Amino acid sequence: MEQSVLEGLQRLLRYVQVFERKSAQEQMERFGLQEKKTLTAKCLELERDNVRVAEIDQLIQKSYEDMTKGLLTEERFATLTVSLETE
């Protein structure tokens, strides 16, 4: 009887060890997937922001050209520039 109890406890211990490893591995995989999703979202956000910065640079350049051609007053150019740079 003692031997049977000992074997049962050993089987239980092996099961717990396997379950712990598998559980830990699954948690690490889930954490990795979440981190990957977060990183992907941040990269997309950065890409959108870079595109917007390029658009703003073009708007400032166009406004400057319009000012030098007399199509835009210096005051309006300054207001637009401050607004765009703040964005």
Side-chain angles (χ1 to χ4, degrees):
M1 177 130 161
E2 197 176 292
Q3 184 65 28
S4 294
V5 170
L6 181 60
E7 288 173 1
L9 286 173
Q10 288 173 337
R11 279 194 303 268
L12 179 62
L13 181 59
R14 281 192 297 270
Y15 174 78
V16 167
Q17 288 172 337
V18 168
F19 179 75
E20 275 184 325
R21 280 189 220 120
K22 185 174 180 167
S23 178
Q25 183 179 6
E26 288 173 354
Q27 287 177 347
M28 291 297 288
E29 288 172 2
R30 278 195 299 268
F31 179 74
L33 288 175
Q34 184 60 37
E35 288 297 310
K36 235 182 239 186
K37 287 178 184 177
T38 301
L39 181 59
T40 299
K42 294 286 184 187
C43 286
L44 289 173
E45 184 180 351
L46 179 60
E47 189 175 316
R48 282 192 305 268
D49 290 347
N50 285 336
V51 167
R52 184 60 184 152
V53 167
E55 289 172 351
I56 289 172
D57 285 343
Q58 289 176 349
L59 288 170
I60 291 172
Q61 180 65 32
K62 174 79 170 90
S63 297
Y64 178 77
E65 290 169 4
D66 288 349
M67 183 191 67
T68 59
K69 292 176 185 174
L71 302 173
L72 191 64
T73 65
E74 285 186 36
E75 293 81 20
R76 184 65 181 144
F77 172 74
T79 302
L80 285 170
T81 302
V82 168
S83 174
L84 290 170
E85 286 178 352
T86 300
E87 183 182 339

